[in-house]
Amino acid sequence: MASKIHNRHDHSYKLLFSHPEMVRDLLTGFVKEAWVEQLDFSTLEKVSGSYVTEDLRDREDDIIWRVRWGDDWLYVYLLLEFQSSEDKHMAVRIMTYQGLLYQDLIRQEAFTPSGKLPPILPIVLYNGEKRWTAAQNVAELVERVPGGLERYRPDMAYLLLDEGAIVNDPAWSDQMRNVAAALFRLEHNRDEQDMLEVLGTLVEWLKAPEQTGLRRAVVVWIRRVLLPSRAPDMELPEFSDLQDLHEVHDMLAERIKHWPEQWEERGRQEGRRETLEEAEQRVREAEQRALEEKCATVRHLLAFGVLSDEQIAEATGLSVDEIAKLRIEDKH
């Protein structure tokens, strides 16, 4: 089940970040480096992520974009990897993906004006509940060996965007007009009202006709990822009945009103089940204590050797077979 949820998350993110607006907002909102200011976002172009290694095994990468940087046609390749669980060897995976991408660029002769390979920005976007602790540079995963060998240790880092750490950072502000930031806030919303507020903001931001595709991708993500994790028991209309984001917002605004009542009723039902289980446990414990007391009485009577098994059974309520069993146990 967990792997299915992770797959839904990863596939929905691929759909979302197949739109240039999402990539632009991700870079401008969360990559705080000077070179980003020189990017021409009107040139954002998604490129193929399919490679064939030397042993002919296919590797389908998540999403790769390129964008013009500065005055020259120097493309900065953006390698996006989506994670809903931590991978302690992610740095090695990223190093492999970059190598495959560079091999492909060499085959295409996609060099910079100076004849060199273009730079790549590898981004790992992580939305798990626990904070990411895996190494962010492959050098951290390779043992240091003194005496000169350390010079050959690989040194390649990736940019980690840990959504939970971002939205819980007191220094972070979600007031900017940024669709990627709104997505992070939705995934880590404080309460139902906060979720509705963000959805209302997205309805306003994405109302232009040319943003229909992105609105549709957000609806898919809400249905397949957000609501199954937030309200798994919610019955939703057929997918075709929710064509746009404002319809999802209006539907949730109505249904969220009843969530506290549903949770309260569920809590009462669980409380009744727990009370019944506790009562049954008390009965079982009392019966066990009564049985132990009867067995102790039987052993005392057997020790005197005056009464027959039938008489002891009549006095204690145990069966003759049970008394005979106790007699055998005492002899051993």
Side-chain angles (χ1 to χ4, degrees):
M1 178 61 72
S3 62
K4 290 183 179 179
I5 294 174
H6 291 167
N7 287 338
R8 284 202 302 267
H9 166 265
D10 294 345
H11 293 160
S12 296
Y13 259 39
K14 288 180 183 181
L15 180 61
L16 283 166
F17 283 91
S18 293
H19 295 271
E21 302 97 322
M22 292 295 296
V23 180
R24 178 200 62 205
D25 285 3
L26 185 72
L27 293 175
T28 57
F30 302 100
V31 183
K32 304 299 184 181
E33 298 174 3
W35 64 271
V36 176
E37 300 174 3
Q38 302 178 50
L39 295 177
D40 181 357
F41 289 107
S42 67
T43 66
L44 267 172
E45 178 184 3
K46 190 154 66 77
V47 297
S48 171
S50 180
Y51 307 106
V52 179
T53 59
E54 293 301 324
D55 57 2
L56 302 182
R57 289 180 303 181
D58 288 335
R59 151 66 193 170
E60 184 68 28
D61 218 322
D62 281 19
I63 296 183
I64 299 173
W65 287 83
R66 65 179 181 177
V67 60
R68 183 180 172 184
W69 176 77
D71 297 329
D72 297 322
W73 283 96
L74 168 62
Y75 278 100
V76 177
Y77 279 74
L78 311 172
L79 179 62
L80 298 179
E81 182 79 9
F82 306 115
Q83 286 290 122
S84 47
S85 59
E86 186 177 69
D87 181 352
K88 67 178 182 179
H89 294 121
M90 175 56 70
V92 175
R93 286 174 54 188
I94 292 295
M95 180 176 66
T96 301
Y97 302 163
Q98 287 185 262
L100 291 172
L101 177 53
Y102 274 133
Q103 286 181 347
D104 191 60
L105 294 175
I106 292 171
R107 285 194 293 268
Q108 298 177 34
E109 298 185 356
F111 303 110
T112 67
S114 64
K116 295 184 178 180
L117 290 165
I120 295 174
L121 172 65
I123 300 176
V124 172
L125 188 57
Y126 169 68
N127 84 324
E129 294 183 4
K130 297 181 180 179
R131 301 286 58 81
W132 185 274
T133 60
Q136 296 176 40
N137 191 316
V138 70
E140 301 175 39
L141 299 174
V142 179
E143 188 69 43
R144 285 181 175 272
V145 178
L149 187 58
E150 68 273 8
R151 290 188 298 136
Y152 308 104
R153 188 175 63 157
D155 184 3
M156 187 173 290
Y158 61 86
L159 173 63
L160 172 70
L161 296 181
D162 183 339
E163 293 181 15
I166 290 171
V167 300
N168 291 317
D169 185 349
W172 180 66
S173 172
D174 59 0
Q175 299 305 311
M176 55 185 172
R177 186 186 177 100
N178 188 297
V179 180
L183 183 74
F184 296 171
R185 184 176 162 190
L186 274 176
E187 285 213 278
H188 302 272
N189 62 81
R190 295 183 292 270
D191 51 41
E192 293 71 41
Q193 193 57 43
D194 183 44
M195 181 165 58
L196 279 180
E197 180 182 332
V198 179
L199 282 175
T201 300
L202 284 175
V203 169
E204 178 64 25
W205 286 355
L206 302 178
K207 63 183 179 181
E210 61 269 20
Q211 294 172 312
T212 300
L214 180 54
R215 288 200 306 272
R216 182 68 171 171
V218 173
V219 170
V220 171
W221 175 80
I222 290 172
R223 290 186 59 97
R224 293 183 179 175
V225 178
L226 182 64
L227 291 182
S229 62
R230 184 67 179 172
D233 297 332
M234 175 181 282
E235 294 183 3
L236 297 173
E238 291 297 324
F239 193 87
S240 59
D241 294 337
L242 292 177
Q243 295 292 339
D244 216 342
L245 191 57
H246 73 87
E247 296 174 345
V248 175
H249 174 270
D250 294 345
M251 180 272 293
L252 287 178
E254 179 61 31
R255 298 196 178 194
I256 280 175
K257 296 177 184 177
H258 305 291
W259 283 6
E261 300 173 6
Q262 295 171 0
W263 293 335
E264 183 178 352
E265 176 60 25
R266 185 183 303 169
R268 285 198 297 267
Q269 293 175 357
E270 291 177 353
R272 286 197 293 271
R273 284 198 296 270
E274 290 174 1
T275 301
L276 178 60
E277 291 172 359
E278 291 172 356
E280 291 175 345
Q281 178 64 23
R282 285 195 295 270
V283 170
R284 287 193 294 270
E285 292 174 351
E287 290 175 345
Q288 181 63 29
R289 286 195 299 269
L291 177 60
E292 291 173 353
E293 291 173 357
K294 288 181 180 180
C295 290
T297 301
V298 169
R299 286 190 169 94
H300 285 300
L301 294 175
L302 289 174
F304 285 114
V306 176
L307 300 178
S308 66
D309 290 356
E310 289 76 8
Q311 291 173 320
I312 295 175
E314 185 178 354
T316 61
L318 294 181
S319 69
V320 173
D321 290 340
E322 288 173 322
I323 293 170
K325 183 179 179 180
L326 287 172
R327 185 188 295 277
I328 294 173
E329 290 176 357
D330 288 345
K331 287 181 179 180
H332 291 288

